[in-house]
């Protein structure tokens, strides 16, 4: 049985990955900050699917948390075959309204942690000649939307560049770019969601199924829904000046900064 490590596993997209991978027979390493929620999740997945679910409590906004997960990914005796870098969050407020401490925390989680964990995982995977990494980004990566969009744009560029460098090694890397997903994300950031149109919402379980299918096909970028693929097509042909104004207004209404 192969083993998958999922950061931010107790809610949202991370929890959907855990459910799907456990159902497919993968053992899991579940990573989040809340030990009780992790243990409850591990027990449920073990009882339902008969897999082994290891719990690793770690805060990826800290060096200690990142190092603990990187050490687990580098354990050659208990290899991890699939890494899902899912941990992340949004900040409510416009640029300069958000504290510098919160901005730097976002960069730590979305950029530094992704870099260090991907590097720890792929170094071990390359030695074995197999493995996969899914780095969860966002469609916000393709529009000018402050630190959140910039950090997710970095995830996309880094992942696709690393995938090219590791081509032929047996290690696959893919950036996953969802739109609005019904999770705890907006609630934790203190963002209202009542004004988001129903058609913009994605189902986390369907998103994960599409993402894993794209990874199996060898894609390095996954936008797992026709609606958002169409929107991103429009983004590519929209002048940057006009796009900046539109996304600024939309972001203040709907999304993280």
């Amino acid at each position: 049985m192969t083993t998958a490590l999922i950061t931010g596993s107790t809610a949202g997209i991370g929890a959907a990955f855990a459910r799907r991978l456990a159902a497919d027979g993968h053992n899991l390493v579940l990573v989040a900050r809340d030990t009780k929620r992790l243990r409850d999740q591990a027990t449920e997945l073990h009882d339902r699917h008969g897999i082994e679910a290891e719990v690793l409590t770690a805060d990826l906004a800290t060096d200690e948390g990142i190092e603990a997960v990187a050490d687990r990914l580098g354990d050659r005796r208990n290899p991890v075959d699939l890494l899902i870098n899912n941990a992340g969050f949004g900040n409510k407020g416009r640029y300069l309204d958000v504290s510098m401490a919160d901005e730097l925390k976002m960069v730590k989680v979305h950029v530094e942690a992704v870099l260090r964990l991907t590097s720890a995982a792929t170094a071990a995977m390359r030695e074995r000649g197999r493995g996969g990494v899914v780095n969860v980004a966002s469609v916000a990566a393709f529009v000018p939307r402050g630190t959140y969009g910039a950090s997710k744009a970095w995830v996309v560029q880094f992942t696709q560049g690393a995938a090219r460098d590791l081509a032929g090694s047996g290690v696959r890397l893919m950036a996953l770019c969802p739109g609005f997903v019904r999770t705890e994300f907006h609630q934790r950031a203190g963002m209202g969601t009542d004004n988001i149109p129903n058609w913009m919402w994605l189902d986390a379980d369907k998103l994960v199924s599409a993402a894993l299918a794209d990874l199996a096909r060898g894609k390095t970028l996954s936008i797992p829904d026709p609606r958002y693929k169409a929107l991103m097509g429009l983004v590519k042909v929209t002048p940057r000046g006009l796009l900046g104004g539109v996304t600024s207004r939309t972001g203040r209404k709907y999304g993280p900064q």
Side-chain angles (χ1 to χ4, degrees), residues 10 45 47 54 87 96 100 126 186 201 211 221 232 252:
T10 55
L45 293 173
D47 292 348
E54 177 184 341
L96 294 184
M100 183 56 63
R126 184 170 61 175
H186 293 86
W201 287 107
L221 177 67
M232 293 307 102
R252 288 197 298 272

mmCIF file with all atom_site columns, all heavy atoms in Angstrom, residues 10 45 47 54 87 96 100 126 186 201 211 221 232 252:
data_model
loop_
_atom_site.group_PDB
_atom_site.id
_atom_site.type_symbol
_atom_site.label_atom_id
_atom_site.label_alt_id
_atom_site.label_comp_id
_atom_site.label_asym_id
_atom_site.label_entity_id
_atom_site.label_seq_id
_atom_site.pdbx_PDB_ins_code
_atom_site.Cartn_x
_atom_site.Cartn_y
_atom_site.Cartn_z
_atom_site.occupancy
_atom_site.B_iso_or_equiv
_atom_site.pdbx_formal_charge
_atom_site.auth_seq_id
_atom_site.auth_comp_id
_atom_site.auth_asym_id
_atom_site.auth_atom_id
_atom_site.pdbx_PDB_model_num
ATOM 1   N N   . THR A 1 10  ? -7.726  18.367 7.727   1.00 0.00 ? 10  THR A N   1
ATOM 2   C CA  . THR A 1 10  ? -8.936  18.181 8.526   1.00 0.00 ? 10  THR A CA  1
ATOM 3   C C   . THR A 1 10  ? -10.157 18.916 7.994   1.00 0.00 ? 10  THR A C   1
ATOM 4   O O   . THR A 1 10  ? -11.248 18.765 8.539   1.00 0.00 ? 10  THR A O   1
ATOM 5   C CB  . THR A 1 10  ? -8.691  18.625 9.988   1.00 0.00 ? 10  THR A CB  1
ATOM 6   O OG1 . THR A 1 10  ? -8.204  19.972 9.996   1.00 0.00 ? 10  THR A OG1 1
ATOM 7   C CG2 . THR A 1 10  ? -7.682  17.709 10.672  1.00 0.00 ? 10  THR A CG2 1
ATOM 8   N N   . LEU A 1 45  ? -11.284 7.434  9.287   1.00 0.00 ? 45  LEU A N   1
ATOM 9   C CA  . LEU A 1 45  ? -10.799 6.890  8.017   1.00 0.00 ? 45  LEU A CA  1
ATOM 10  C C   . LEU A 1 45  ? -10.283 5.461  8.180   1.00 0.00 ? 45  LEU A C   1
ATOM 11  O O   . LEU A 1 45  ? -10.473 4.617  7.299   1.00 0.00 ? 45  LEU A O   1
ATOM 12  C CB  . LEU A 1 45  ? -9.701  7.798  7.448   1.00 0.00 ? 45  LEU A CB  1
ATOM 13  C CG  . LEU A 1 45  ? -10.176 9.191  7.016   1.00 0.00 ? 45  LEU A CG  1
ATOM 14  C CD1 . LEU A 1 45  ? -8.990  10.067 6.643   1.00 0.00 ? 45  LEU A CD1 1
ATOM 15  C CD2 . LEU A 1 45  ? -11.166 9.108  5.858   1.00 0.00 ? 45  LEU A CD2 1
ATOM 16  N N   . ASP A 1 47  ? -11.358 3.273  10.495  1.00 0.00 ? 47  ASP A N   1
ATOM 17  C CA  . ASP A 1 47  ? -12.511 2.400  10.727  1.00 0.00 ? 47  ASP A CA  1
ATOM 18  C C   . ASP A 1 47  ? -13.325 2.178  9.454   1.00 0.00 ? 47  ASP A C   1
ATOM 19  O O   . ASP A 1 47  ? -13.856 1.090  9.225   1.00 0.00 ? 47  ASP A O   1
ATOM 20  C CB  . ASP A 1 47  ? -13.413 2.997  11.816  1.00 0.00 ? 47  ASP A CB  1
ATOM 21  C CG  . ASP A 1 47  ? -12.761 2.983  13.194  1.00 0.00 ? 47  ASP A CG  1
ATOM 22  O OD1 . ASP A 1 47  ? -11.716 2.315  13.349  1.00 0.00 ? 47  ASP A OD1 1
ATOM 23  O OD2 . ASP A 1 47  ? -13.289 3.645  14.106  1.00 0.00 ? 47  ASP A OD2 1
ATOM 24  N N   . GLU A 1 54  ? -1.706  7.998  10.052  1.00 0.00 ? 54  GLU A N   1
ATOM 25  C CA  . GLU A 1 54  ? -0.758  8.582  11.008  1.00 0.00 ? 54  GLU A CA  1
ATOM 26  C C   . GLU A 1 54  ? -1.097  10.048 11.217  1.00 0.00 ? 54  GLU A C   1
ATOM 27  O O   . GLU A 1 54  ? -1.489  10.750 10.280  1.00 0.00 ? 54  GLU A O   1
ATOM 28  C CB  . GLU A 1 54  ? 0.657   8.424  10.442  1.00 0.00 ? 54  GLU A CB  1
ATOM 29  C CG  . GLU A 1 54  ? 1.773   9.025  11.253  1.00 0.00 ? 54  GLU A CG  1
ATOM 30  C CD  . GLU A 1 54  ? 3.119   8.897  10.542  1.00 0.00 ? 54  GLU A CD  1
ATOM 31  O OE1 . GLU A 1 54  ? 3.237   8.054  9.618   1.00 0.00 ? 54  GLU A OE1 1
ATOM 32  O OE2 . GLU A 1 54  ? 4.044   9.642  10.909  1.00 0.00 ? 54  GLU A OE2 1
ATOM 33  N N   . ALA A 1 87  ? -2.335  23.060 2.799   1.00 0.00 ? 87  ALA A N   1
ATOM 34  C CA  . ALA A 1 87  ? -2.519  24.041 3.866   1.00 0.00 ? 87  ALA A CA  1
ATOM 35  C C   . ALA A 1 87  ? -2.453  25.463 3.326   1.00 0.00 ? 87  ALA A C   1
ATOM 36  O O   . ALA A 1 87  ? -1.596  25.793 2.502   1.00 0.00 ? 87  ALA A O   1
ATOM 37  C CB  . ALA A 1 87  ? -1.449  23.848 4.945   1.00 0.00 ? 87  ALA A CB  1
ATOM 38  N N   . LEU A 1 96  ? -2.439  46.905 2.842   1.00 0.00 ? 96  LEU A N   1
ATOM 39  C CA  . LEU A 1 96  ? -2.159  47.862 3.913   1.00 0.00 ? 96  LEU A CA  1
ATOM 40  C C   . LEU A 1 96  ? -3.216  47.858 5.007   1.00 0.00 ? 96  LEU A C   1
ATOM 41  O O   . LEU A 1 96  ? -2.989  48.434 6.075   1.00 0.00 ? 96  LEU A O   1
ATOM 42  C CB  . LEU A 1 96  ? -1.967  49.297 3.378   1.00 0.00 ? 96  LEU A CB  1
ATOM 43  C CG  . LEU A 1 96  ? -0.730  49.525 2.493   1.00 0.00 ? 96  LEU A CG  1
ATOM 44  C CD1 . LEU A 1 96  ? -0.625  51.003 2.126   1.00 0.00 ? 96  LEU A CD1 1
ATOM 45  C CD2 . LEU A 1 96  ? 0.554   49.066 3.194   1.00 0.00 ? 96  LEU A CD2 1
ATOM 46  N N   . MET A 1 100 ? 1.334   43.432 8.638   1.00 0.00 ? 100 MET A N   1
ATOM 47  C CA  . MET A 1 100 ? 2.514   42.830 8.038   1.00 0.00 ? 100 MET A CA  1
ATOM 48  C C   . MET A 1 100 ? 2.751   41.429 8.603   1.00 0.00 ? 100 MET A C   1
ATOM 49  O O   . MET A 1 100 ? 3.203   40.528 7.873   1.00 0.00 ? 100 MET A O   1
ATOM 50  C CB  . MET A 1 100 ? 3.737   43.718 8.290   1.00 0.00 ? 100 MET A CB  1
ATOM 51  C CG  . MET A 1 100 ? 5.013   43.201 7.631   1.00 0.00 ? 100 MET A CG  1
ATOM 52  S SD  . MET A 1 100 ? 4.847   42.948 5.833   1.00 0.00 ? 100 MET A SD  1
ATOM 53  C CE  . MET A 1 100 ? 4.510   44.628 5.279   1.00 0.00 ? 100 MET A CE  1
ATOM 54  N N   . ARG A 1 126 ? 12.710  10.956 -6.000  1.00 0.00 ? 126 ARG A N   1
ATOM 55  C CA  . ARG A 1 126 ? 13.608  10.787 -7.136  1.00 0.00 ? 126 ARG A CA  1
ATOM 56  C C   . ARG A 1 126 ? 14.553  9.603  -6.920  1.00 0.00 ? 126 ARG A C   1
ATOM 57  O O   . ARG A 1 126 ? 14.881  8.890  -7.870  1.00 0.00 ? 126 ARG A O   1
ATOM 58  C CB  . ARG A 1 126 ? 14.403  12.069 -7.377  1.00 0.00 ? 126 ARG A CB  1
ATOM 59  C CG  . ARG A 1 126 ? 15.291  12.007 -8.614  1.00 0.00 ? 126 ARG A CG  1
ATOM 60  C CD  . ARG A 1 126 ? 15.867  13.347 -8.956  1.00 0.00 ? 126 ARG A CD  1
ATOM 61  N NE  . ARG A 1 126 ? 16.711  13.878 -7.884  1.00 0.00 ? 126 ARG A NE  1
ATOM 62  C CZ  . ARG A 1 126 ? 17.412  15.016 -7.988  1.00 0.00 ? 126 ARG A CZ  1
ATOM 63  N NH1 . ARG A 1 126 ? 17.342  15.741 -9.096  1.00 0.00 ? 126 ARG A NH1 1
ATOM 64  N NH2 . ARG A 1 126 ? 18.147  15.440 -6.972  1.00 0.00 ? 126 ARG A NH2 1
ATOM 65  N N   . HIS A 1 186 ? -13.527 30.460 3.843   1.00 0.00 ? 186 HIS A N   1
ATOM 66  C CA  . HIS A 1 186 ? -14.021 31.830 3.975   1.00 0.00 ? 186 HIS A CA  1
ATOM 67  C C   . HIS A 1 186 ? -14.463 32.134 5.402   1.00 0.00 ? 186 HIS A C   1
ATOM 68  O O   . HIS A 1 186 ? -14.253 33.236 5.903   1.00 0.00 ? 186 HIS A O   1
ATOM 69  C CB  . HIS A 1 186 ? -15.180 32.065 2.999   1.00 0.00 ? 186 HIS A CB  1
ATOM 70  C CG  . HIS A 1 186 ? -14.754 32.034 1.568   1.00 0.00 ? 186 HIS A CG  1
ATOM 71  N ND1 . HIS A 1 186 ? -14.674 30.867 0.839   1.00 0.00 ? 186 HIS A ND1 1
ATOM 72  C CD2 . HIS A 1 186 ? -14.371 33.033 0.729   1.00 0.00 ? 186 HIS A CD2 1
ATOM 73  C CE1 . HIS A 1 186 ? -14.265 31.152 -0.390  1.00 0.00 ? 186 HIS A CE1 1
ATOM 74  N NE2 . HIS A 1 186 ? -14.081 32.448 -0.485  1.00 0.00 ? 186 HIS A NE2 1
ATOM 75  N N   . TRP A 1 201 ? -19.648 28.020 -7.216  1.00 0.00 ? 201 TRP A N   1
ATOM 76  C CA  . TRP A 1 201 ? -19.210 27.084 -6.181  1.00 0.00 ? 201 TRP A CA  1
ATOM 77  C C   . TRP A 1 201 ? -18.877 25.716 -6.774  1.00 0.00 ? 201 TRP A C   1
ATOM 78  O O   . TRP A 1 201 ? -19.581 25.195 -7.619  1.00 0.00 ? 201 TRP A O   1
ATOM 79  C CB  . TRP A 1 201 ? -20.301 26.918 -5.129  1.00 0.00 ? 201 TRP A CB  1
ATOM 80  C CG  . TRP A 1 201 ? -20.459 28.104 -4.237  1.00 0.00 ? 201 TRP A CG  1
ATOM 81  C CD1 . TRP A 1 201 ? -21.479 29.017 -4.259  1.00 0.00 ? 201 TRP A CD1 1
ATOM 82  C CD2 . TRP A 1 201 ? -19.574 28.523 -3.198  1.00 0.00 ? 201 TRP A CD2 1
ATOM 83  N NE1 . TRP A 1 201 ? -21.290 29.973 -3.294  1.00 0.00 ? 201 TRP A NE1 1
ATOM 84  C CE2 . TRP A 1 201 ? -20.131 29.698 -2.627  1.00 0.00 ? 201 TRP A CE2 1
ATOM 85  C CE3 . TRP A 1 201 ? -18.369 28.024 -2.693  1.00 0.00 ? 201 TRP A CE3 1
ATOM 86  C CZ2 . TRP A 1 201 ? -19.513 30.367 -1.580  1.00 0.00 ? 201 TRP A CZ2 1
ATOM 87  C CZ3 . TRP A 1 201 ? -17.749 28.699 -1.657  1.00 0.00 ? 201 TRP A CZ3 1
ATOM 88  C CH2 . TRP A 1 201 ? -18.328 29.862 -1.108  1.00 0.00 ? 201 TRP A CH2 1
ATOM 89  N N   . ALA A 1 211 ? -8.829  16.366 -10.084 1.00 0.00 ? 211 ALA A N   1
ATOM 90  C CA  . ALA A 1 211 ? -7.404  16.654 -9.883  1.00 0.00 ? 211 ALA A CA  1
ATOM 91  C C   . ALA A 1 211 ? -6.566  15.380 -9.972  1.00 0.00 ? 211 ALA A C   1
ATOM 92  O O   . ALA A 1 211 ? -5.503  15.370 -10.619 1.00 0.00 ? 211 ALA A O   1
ATOM 93  C CB  . ALA A 1 211 ? -7.194  17.330 -8.533  1.00 0.00 ? 211 ALA A CB  1
ATOM 94  N N   . LEU A 1 221 ? -0.638  21.361 -14.598 1.00 0.00 ? 221 LEU A N   1
ATOM 95  C CA  . LEU A 1 221 ? -1.587  22.377 -14.149 1.00 0.00 ? 221 LEU A CA  1
ATOM 96  C C   . LEU A 1 221 ? -2.995  21.830 -14.293 1.00 0.00 ? 221 LEU A C   1
ATOM 97  O O   . LEU A 1 221 ? -3.355  21.313 -15.350 1.00 0.00 ? 221 LEU A O   1
ATOM 98  C CB  . LEU A 1 221 ? -1.449  23.651 -14.988 1.00 0.00 ? 221 LEU A CB  1
ATOM 99  C CG  . LEU A 1 221 ? -2.438  24.782 -14.681 1.00 0.00 ? 221 LEU A CG  1
ATOM 100 C CD1 . LEU A 1 221 ? -2.173  25.347 -13.292 1.00 0.00 ? 221 LEU A CD1 1
ATOM 101 C CD2 . LEU A 1 221 ? -2.344  25.881 -15.734 1.00 0.00 ? 221 LEU A CD2 1
ATOM 102 N N   . MET A 1 232 ? -10.776 31.457 -17.074 1.00 0.00 ? 232 MET A N   1
ATOM 103 C CA  . MET A 1 232 ? -9.341  31.701 -17.194 1.00 0.00 ? 232 MET A CA  1
ATOM 104 C C   . MET A 1 232 ? -8.950  31.940 -18.648 1.00 0.00 ? 232 MET A C   1
ATOM 105 O O   . MET A 1 232 ? -7.984  32.648 -18.927 1.00 0.00 ? 232 MET A O   1
ATOM 106 C CB  . MET A 1 232 ? -8.561  30.526 -16.612 1.00 0.00 ? 232 MET A CB  1
ATOM 107 C CG  . MET A 1 232 ? -8.705  30.375 -15.096 1.00 0.00 ? 232 MET A CG  1
ATOM 108 S SD  . MET A 1 232 ? -8.321  31.886 -14.168 1.00 0.00 ? 232 MET A SD  1
ATOM 109 C CE  . MET A 1 232 ? -9.981  32.499 -13.779 1.00 0.00 ? 232 MET A CE  1
ATOM 110 N N   . ARG A 1 252 ? -12.621 42.364 -3.577  1.00 0.00 ? 252 ARG A N   1
ATOM 111 C CA  . ARG A 1 252 ? -13.150 42.966 -2.362  1.00 0.00 ? 252 ARG A CA  1
ATOM 112 C C   . ARG A 1 252 ? -14.522 42.435 -2.027  1.00 0.00 ? 252 ARG A C   1
ATOM 113 O O   . ARG A 1 252 ? -14.929 42.350 -0.868  1.00 0.00 ? 252 ARG A O   1
ATOM 114 C CB  . ARG A 1 252 ? -13.213 44.488 -2.541  1.00 0.00 ? 252 ARG A CB  1
ATOM 115 C CG  . ARG A 1 252 ? -11.854 45.174 -2.525  1.00 0.00 ? 252 ARG A CG  1
ATOM 116 C CD  . ARG A 1 252 ? -11.985 46.658 -2.295  1.00 0.00 ? 252 ARG A CD  1
ATOM 117 N NE  . ARG A 1 252 ? -12.732 47.328 -3.353  1.00 0.00 ? 252 ARG A NE  1
ATOM 118 C CZ  . ARG A 1 252 ? -12.193 47.805 -4.461  1.00 0.00 ? 252 ARG A CZ  1
ATOM 119 N NH1 . ARG A 1 252 ? -10.905 47.644 -4.685  1.00 0.00 ? 252 ARG A NH1 1
ATOM 120 N NH2 . ARG A 1 252 ? -12.937 48.430 -5.360  1.00 0.00 ? 252 ARG A NH2 1
#
